[in-house]
Amino acid sequence: MFSMILVEIVFCATYSQQSTTMMGRTLLGVLCLSGWNISSCLSLQYHYVADPKNWTEAQTYCREKYTDLATVETPEEMKQLNKTVLSSGINLEVWIGVYRKLWKWPDNYTNSGAEYRNWRNNNRIINYDFKCYVLFHNGEWYGHDCINAESFICYRGSQQNPEFVYVSVKKNWSSAQRFCRENFIDLATVKNHSENQNIQSLVPEYTYSWIGLYWDPDTYWSDGSGSSFRWFSYGYGYTLHPMSEVCGAADLENSGRWWLLNCETKCPFVCYSVRSSVVKRQVIKLRMKPENSSMDLNDPAVKADILNELQDRLKKNGLSGVTLKWREQPDGKVFHKERKMSKKKKKREKTEL
């Protein structure tokens, strides 16, 4: 039976404020999730700004003065944000970095005319359940359930100079899109009143036809973070304004729960920054059981091999940017055989626990 050996490892994780500091945030987040005993995993700081601005103005301000509008990746960070704002004596809605692009075209068209809409009666509220859009024979656009079977409009040519094609076969929205992509370019993107009239002339009287516009269910972060953490208030999106984009605000009267508001609303806001240099240092004790009892673990070459193996295991688990090193004991050695603990000492340690 080989003796157990005690060894101490010191690791340091450092990063600089580059690439929008995302590498450092990700590293510390992985360290926490991997079970490393870090004294603090909150690498960012929130900054409350009382001057009301619309969301885009707030975003510009945060990028100039700090890093970006606040991104929140964990419940702990949400608590930290709430504490930052409430410590200023404020209990209002504040902009954070989350936003939603409500409506998209299936070919991802975002250039001139992408914002064109011809809602029925210029409706200002769109039913949450209707996530795909059809053009009626009179040229008005209606929200429609995506699973309904309707005729549809494809286009060929180019985005700038499309040729619209009416398909009378009725399909649900997804099937219609697949048909258009297999036989033409895509479902129709409608960029202006002239194109809308062109399509209107193709649609038979009292007929609905699918166009490409659809509701995007995803939300995004201003800094491009891939954080999946969400803290929306129940019912936040059951009615949606037919604007192209809505922006997230944390409601401090409701535990910081998020709402989606008109991005032009003037609100105070929260920015975030990441410390320019953060070092996390932790000493870990390991018990190692060598397969060969004759192996000298204090041999420099053996110590280097073990350290490289540990480093490789961290990398395989997605932990890059971590430096490992051995901590030498007062006698200059790293490894020492573990002494057998007396029954009396074991009993005392058990009592202390």
Side-chain angles (χ1 to χ4, degrees):
M1 190 76 175
F2 296 112
S3 300
M4 305 298 288
I5 296 175
L6 286 173
V7 60
E8 293 180 315
I9 297 178
V10 177
F11 74 86
C12 299
T14 63
Y15 64 94
S16 60
Q17 195 165 355
Q18 56 183 341
S19 302
T20 323
T21 70
M22 292 308 298
M23 180 181 71
R25 287 174 56 106
T26 302
L27 171 61
L28 291 179
V30 172
L31 285 171
C32 293
L33 293 175
S34 301
W36 295 91
N37 183 21
I38 308 297
S39 58
S40 173
C41 289
L42 295 176
S43 61
L44 59 98
Q45 291 178 301
Y46 290 119
H47 308 273
Y48 171 69
V49 181
D51 183 21
K53 297 180 183 294
N54 66 37
W55 192 88
T56 302
E57 292 170 343
Q59 179 191 57
T60 300
Y61 179 95
C62 289
R63 288 177 174 179
E64 289 176 351
K65 302 293 184 180
Y66 300 101
T67 299
D68 212 317
L69 271 169
T71 292
V72 185
E73 298 191 344
T74 64
E76 289 72 24
E77 289 183 358
M78 193 63 232
K79 291 177 182 177
Q80 185 187 357
L81 186 149
N82 287 345
K83 184 178 179 180
T84 299
V85 180
L86 292 173
S87 65
S88 301
I90 302 300
N91 200 20
L92 304 171
E93 291 178 334
V94 294
W95 288 131
I96 58 174
V98 71
Y99 68 97
R100 169 171 283 166
K101 289 184 173 294
L102 289 180
W103 316 111
K104 281 188 175 180
W105 295 104
D107 56 4
N108 292 319
Y109 182 80
T110 57
N111 296 326
S112 176
E115 309 302 321
Y116 175 77
R117 306 286 186 267
N118 194 41
W119 307 118
R120 178 193 178 191
N121 298 326
N122 196 30
N123 277 348
R124 301 312 298 161
I125 296 293
I126 301 300
N127 191 310
Y128 178 87
D129 295 324
F130 294 159
K131 299 177 181 179
C132 299
Y133 278 80
V134 294
L135 179 144
F136 195 38
H137 75 97
N138 62 0
E140 293 181 334
W141 301 3
Y142 289 68
H144 217 40
D145 194 325
C146 303
I147 66 173
N148 288 349
E150 302 292 351
S151 59
F152 51 98
I153 307 293
C154 305
Y155 83 91
R156 57 190 170 197
S158 67
Q159 288 180 332
Q160 296 301 326
N161 296 292
E163 178 185 351
F164 297 112
V165 180
Y166 173 74
V167 181
S168 61
V169 179
K170 292 189 175 184
K171 297 178 180 292
N172 63 39
W173 191 92
S174 296
S175 298
Q177 181 190 51
R178 183 164 54 252
F179 181 92
C180 289
R181 288 181 171 179
E182 290 174 350
N183 296 278
F184 302 99
I185 302 294
D186 213 321
L187 276 168
T189 295
V190 189
K191 305 185 297 296
N192 52 55
H193 184 63
S194 177
E195 289 183 355
N196 198 65
Q197 285 186 315
N198 188 347
I199 293 175
Q200 179 184 343
S201 68
L202 301 176
V203 179
E205 190 173 11
Y206 304 114
T207 300
Y208 291 102
S209 292
W210 291 124
I211 56 176
L213 193 67
Y214 71 99
W215 180 81
D216 181 8
D218 296 325
T219 49
Y220 306 91
W221 291 101
S222 174
D223 65 358
S225 167
S227 169
S228 61
F229 177 76
R230 298 295 183 267
W231 190 245
F232 284 109
S233 178
Y234 176 77
Y236 74 96
Y238 278 79
T239 56
L240 298 173
H241 292 276
M243 56 196 68
S244 295
E245 188 170 289
V246 286
C247 299
D251 183 0
L252 275 300
E253 287 188 329
N254 187 23
S255 302
R257 291 283 183 176
W258 307 345
W259 292 93
L260 291 173
L261 308 177
N262 185 329
C263 299
E264 294 302 314
T265 305
K266 299 282 187 177
C267 291
F269 53 97
V270 181
C271 307
Y272 85 88
S273 64
V274 180
R275 297 176 180 91
S276 60
S277 179
V278 173
V279 177
K280 296 297 178 185
R281 186 181 182 92
Q282 182 71 32
V283 178
I284 299 174
K285 289 186 177 181
L286 299 178
R287 284 181 171 84
M288 300 183 67
K289 185 176 181 181
E291 294 181 358
N292 186 349
S293 59
S294 65
M295 180 183 294
D296 181 8
L297 295 182
N298 284 301
D299 183 304
V302 175
K303 288 192 296 184
D305 288 343
I306 297 174
L307 207 60
N308 288 334
E309 175 65 20
L310 291 172
Q311 195 89 51
D312 289 341
R313 291 186 183 184
L314 288 177
K315 288 181 179 179
K316 288 178 181 179
N317 284 291
L319 229 61
S320 59
V322 178
T323 301
L324 298 179
K325 66 178 182 179
W326 299 118
R327 168 174 285 187
E328 293 184 351
Q329 303 302 312
D331 61 1
K333 293 183 178 181
V334 169
F335 298 91
H336 290 88
K337 287 186 178 181
E338 185 178 25
R339 296 178 180 178
K340 290 185 177 180
M341 191 180 298
S342 66
K343 292 183 178 180
K344 184 176 181 180
K345 188 175 181 181
K346 286 182 179 179
K347 184 177 181 179
R348 184 171 67 249
E349 287 195 356
K350 185 176 181 181
T351 303
E352 290 175 352
L353 289 176

PDB file of all heavy atoms in Angstrom, residues 108-122:
ATOM      1  N   ASN A 108     -32.557  37.820 -43.098  1.00  0.00           N
ATOM      2  CA  ASN A 108     -31.727  38.684 -42.238  1.00  0.00           C
ATOM      3  C   ASN A 108     -31.448  40.047 -42.864  1.00  0.00           C
ATOM      4  O   ASN A 108     -30.422  40.664 -42.593  1.00  0.00           O
ATOM      5  CB  ASN A 108     -30.404  37.989 -41.889  1.00  0.00           C
ATOM      6  CG  ASN A 108     -30.610  36.798 -40.986  1.00  0.00           C
ATOM      7  OD1 ASN A 108     -31.404  36.838 -40.058  1.00  0.00           O
ATOM      8  ND2 ASN A 108     -29.916  35.706 -41.272  1.00  0.00           N
ATOM      9  N   TYR A 109     -32.390  40.547 -43.641  1.00  0.00           N
ATOM     10  CA  TYR A 109     -32.224  41.854 -44.261  1.00  0.00           C
ATOM     11  C   TYR A 109     -32.318  42.948 -43.193  1.00  0.00           C
ATOM     12  O   TYR A 109     -33.273  42.995 -42.422  1.00  0.00           O
ATOM     13  CB  TYR A 109     -33.300  42.086 -45.321  1.00  0.00           C
ATOM     14  CG  TYR A 109     -33.154  43.408 -46.050  1.00  0.00           C
ATOM     15  CD1 TYR A 109     -32.239  43.542 -47.073  1.00  0.00           C
ATOM     16  CD2 TYR A 109     -33.917  44.513 -45.694  1.00  0.00           C
ATOM     17  CE1 TYR A 109     -32.086  44.756 -47.736  1.00  0.00           C
ATOM     18  CE2 TYR A 109     -33.778  45.725 -46.344  1.00  0.00           C
ATOM     19  CZ  TYR A 109     -32.848  45.834 -47.369  1.00  0.00           C
ATOM     20  OH  TYR A 109     -32.692  47.031 -48.017  1.00  0.00           O
ATOM     21  N   THR A 110     -31.291  43.807 -43.135  1.00  0.00           N
ATOM     22  CA  THR A 110     -31.258  44.880 -42.137  1.00  0.00           C
ATOM     23  C   THR A 110     -30.934  46.235 -42.751  1.00  0.00           C
ATOM     24  O   THR A 110     -30.766  47.214 -42.021  1.00  0.00           O
ATOM     25  CB  THR A 110     -30.215  44.582 -41.047  1.00  0.00           C
ATOM     26  OG1 THR A 110     -28.926  44.404 -41.662  1.00  0.00           O
ATOM     27  CG2 THR A 110     -30.578  43.330 -40.259  1.00  0.00           C
ATOM     28  N   ASN A 111     -30.858  46.319 -44.067  1.00  0.00           N
ATOM     29  CA  ASN A 111     -30.493  47.584 -44.716  1.00  0.00           C
ATOM     30  C   ASN A 111     -31.715  48.488 -44.889  1.00  0.00           C
ATOM     31  O   ASN A 111     -32.738  48.296 -44.247  1.00  0.00           O
ATOM     32  CB  ASN A 111     -29.813  47.296 -46.063  1.00  0.00           C
ATOM     33  CG  ASN A 111     -28.494  46.549 -45.897  1.00  0.00           C
ATOM     34  OD1 ASN A 111     -27.781  46.769 -44.926  1.00  0.00           O
ATOM     35  ND2 ASN A 111     -28.171  45.680 -46.832  1.00  0.00           N
ATOM     36  N   SER A 112     -31.585  49.456 -45.767  1.00  0.00           N
ATOM     37  CA  SER A 112     -32.650  50.443 -45.973  1.00  0.00           C
ATOM     38  C   SER A 112     -33.989  49.770 -46.264  1.00  0.00           C
ATOM     39  O   SER A 112     -34.077  48.886 -47.120  1.00  0.00           O
ATOM     40  CB  SER A 112     -32.262  51.358 -47.150  1.00  0.00           C
ATOM     41  OG  SER A 112     -33.297  52.270 -47.440  1.00  0.00           O
ATOM     42  N   GLY A 113     -35.022  50.175 -45.524  1.00  0.00           N
ATOM     43  CA  GLY A 113     -36.356  49.630 -45.708  1.00  0.00           C
ATOM     44  C   GLY A 113     -36.680  48.462 -44.796  1.00  0.00           C
ATOM     45  O   GLY A 113     -37.821  47.996 -44.777  1.00  0.00           O
ATOM     46  N   ALA A 114     -35.693  47.994 -44.016  1.00  0.00           N
ATOM     47  CA  ALA A 114     -35.943  46.843 -43.143  1.00  0.00           C
ATOM     48  C   ALA A 114     -36.986  47.159 -42.083  1.00  0.00           C
ATOM     49  O   ALA A 114     -37.629  46.254 -41.545  1.00  0.00           O
ATOM     50  CB  ALA A 114     -34.639  46.399 -42.479  1.00  0.00           C
ATOM     51  N   GLU A 115     -37.164  48.455 -41.765  1.00  0.00           N
ATOM     52  CA  GLU A 115     -38.112  48.849 -40.724  1.00  0.00           C
ATOM     53  C   GLU A 115     -39.520  49.119 -41.265  1.00  0.00           C
ATOM     54  O   GLU A 115     -40.418  49.451 -40.512  1.00  0.00           O
ATOM     55  CB  GLU A 115     -37.609  50.121 -40.020  1.00  0.00           C
ATOM     56  CG  GLU A 115     -36.161  50.047 -39.533  1.00  0.00           C
ATOM     57  CD  GLU A 115     -35.933  48.904 -38.577  1.00  0.00           C
ATOM     58  OE1 GLU A 115     -36.830  48.660 -37.748  1.00  0.00           O
ATOM     59  OE2 GLU A 115     -34.880  48.249 -38.662  1.00  0.00           O
ATOM     60  N   TYR A 116     -39.703  48.980 -42.571  1.00  0.00           N
ATOM     61  CA  TYR A 116     -41.023  49.258 -43.146  1.00  0.00           C
ATOM     62  C   TYR A 116     -42.066  48.286 -42.602  1.00  0.00           C
ATOM     63  O   TYR A 116     -41.839  47.081 -42.506  1.00  0.00           O
ATOM     64  CB  TYR A 116     -40.977  49.143 -44.667  1.00  0.00           C
ATOM     65  CG  TYR A 116     -42.337  49.294 -45.318  1.00  0.00           C
ATOM     66  CD1 TYR A 116     -42.925  50.559 -45.456  1.00  0.00           C
ATOM     67  CD2 TYR A 116     -43.045  48.174 -45.762  1.00  0.00           C
ATOM     68  CE1 TYR A 116     -44.180  50.698 -46.035  1.00  0.00           C
ATOM     69  CE2 TYR A 116     -44.292  48.303 -46.342  1.00  0.00           C
ATOM     70  CZ  TYR A 116     -44.866  49.567 -46.461  1.00  0.00           C
ATOM     71  OH  TYR A 116     -46.113  49.705 -47.035  1.00  0.00           O
ATOM     72  N   ARG A 117     -43.237  48.837 -42.218  1.00  0.00           N
ATOM     73  CA  ARG A 117     -44.359  48.025 -41.742  1.00  0.00           C
ATOM     74  C   ARG A 117     -45.659  48.635 -42.269  1.00  0.00           C
ATOM     75  O   ARG A 117     -45.777  49.843 -42.443  1.00  0.00           O
ATOM     76  CB  ARG A 117     -44.428  48.002 -40.196  1.00  0.00           C
ATOM     77  CG  ARG A 117     -43.140  47.556 -39.511  1.00  0.00           C
ATOM     78  CD  ARG A 117     -42.894  46.054 -39.634  1.00  0.00           C
ATOM     79  NE  ARG A 117     -41.738  45.660 -38.859  1.00  0.00           N
ATOM     80  CZ  ARG A 117     -40.501  45.569 -39.347  1.00  0.00           C
ATOM     81  NH1 ARG A 117     -40.266  45.855 -40.617  1.00  0.00           N
ATOM     82  NH2 ARG A 117     -39.501  45.189 -38.574  1.00  0.00           N
ATOM     83  N   ASN A 118     -46.633  47.790 -42.488  1.00  0.00           N
ATOM     84  CA  ASN A 118     -47.956  48.278 -42.870  1.00  0.00           C
ATOM     85  C   ASN A 118     -49.012  47.548 -42.042  1.00  0.00           C
ATOM     86  O   ASN A 118     -49.880  46.860 -42.554  1.00  0.00           O
ATOM     87  CB  ASN A 118     -48.211  48.061 -44.372  1.00  0.00           C
ATOM     88  CG  ASN A 118     -49.415  48.850 -44.856  1.00  0.00           C
ATOM     89  OD1 ASN A 118     -49.615  50.006 -44.469  1.00  0.00           O
ATOM     90  ND2 ASN A 118     -50.232  48.239 -45.706  1.00  0.00           N
ATOM     91  N   TRP A 119     -48.889  47.721 -40.690  1.00  0.00           N
ATOM     92  CA  TRP A 119     -49.799  47.053 -39.779  1.00  0.00           C
ATOM     93  C   TRP A 119     -51.259  47.407 -40.085  1.00  0.00           C
ATOM     94  O   TRP A 119     -51.568  48.522 -40.499  1.00  0.00           O
ATOM     95  CB  TRP A 119     -49.529  47.459 -38.331  1.00  0.00           C
ATOM     96  CG  TRP A 119     -48.109  47.315 -37.857  1.00  0.00           C
ATOM     97  CD1 TRP A 119     -47.294  48.312 -37.428  1.00  0.00           C
ATOM     98  CD2 TRP A 119     -47.353  46.112 -37.734  1.00  0.00           C
ATOM     99  NE1 TRP A 119     -46.077  47.812 -37.049  1.00  0.00           N
ATOM    100  CE2 TRP A 119     -46.081  46.466 -37.224  1.00  0.00           C
ATOM    101  CE3 TRP A 119     -47.628  44.761 -38.015  1.00  0.00           C
ATOM    102  CZ2 TRP A 119     -45.084  45.514 -36.983  1.00  0.00           C
ATOM    103  CZ3 TRP A 119     -46.639  43.828 -37.763  1.00  0.00           C
ATOM    104  CH2 TRP A 119     -45.392  44.205 -37.263  1.00  0.00           C
ATOM    105  N   ARG A 120     -52.135  46.496 -39.812  1.00  0.00           N
ATOM    106  CA  ARG A 120     -53.574  46.718 -39.982  1.00  0.00           C
ATOM    107  C   ARG A 120     -54.008  47.887 -39.103  1.00  0.00           C
ATOM    108  O   ARG A 120     -53.765  47.893 -37.891  1.00  0.00           O
ATOM    109  CB  ARG A 120     -54.336  45.452 -39.596  1.00  0.00           C
ATOM    110  CG  ARG A 120     -55.845  45.636 -39.706  1.00  0.00           C
ATOM    111  CD  ARG A 120     -56.566  44.483 -39.031  1.00  0.00           C
ATOM    112  NE  ARG A 120     -58.002  44.665 -39.084  1.00  0.00           N
ATOM    113  CZ  ARG A 120     -58.881  43.944 -38.412  1.00  0.00           C
ATOM    114  NH1 ARG A 120     -58.452  42.980 -37.605  1.00  0.00           N
ATOM    115  NH2 ARG A 120     -60.170  44.162 -38.518  1.00  0.00           N
ATOM    116  N   ASN A 121     -54.652  48.883 -39.679  1.00  0.00           N
ATOM    117  CA  ASN A 121     -55.161  50.059 -38.972  1.00  0.00           C
ATOM    118  C   ASN A 121     -54.086  50.733 -38.125  1.00  0.00           C
ATOM    119  O   ASN A 121     -54.388  51.388 -37.128  1.00  0.00           O
ATOM    120  CB  ASN A 121     -56.353  49.684 -38.069  1.00  0.00           C
ATOM    121  CG  ASN A 121     -57.515  49.142 -38.870  1.00  0.00           C
ATOM    122  OD1 ASN A 121     -57.751  49.578 -40.006  1.00  0.00           O
ATOM    123  ND2 ASN A 121     -58.238  48.191 -38.313  1.00  0.00           N
ATOM    124  N   ASN A 122     -52.812  50.525 -38.497  1.00  0.00           N
ATOM    125  CA  ASN A 122     -51.694  51.097 -37.744  1.00  0.00           C
ATOM    126  C   ASN A 122     -51.744  50.705 -36.272  1.00  0.00           C
ATOM    127  O   ASN A 122     -51.482  51.492 -35.375  1.00  0.00           O
ATOM    128  CB  ASN A 122     -51.662  52.627 -37.867  1.00  0.00           C
ATOM    129  CG  ASN A 122     -50.323  53.203 -37.439  1.00  0.00           C
ATOM    130  OD1 ASN A 122     -49.291  52.557 -37.581  1.00  0.00           O
ATOM    131  ND2 ASN A 122     -50.351  54.413 -36.916  1.00  0.00           N
TER     132      ASN A 122
END
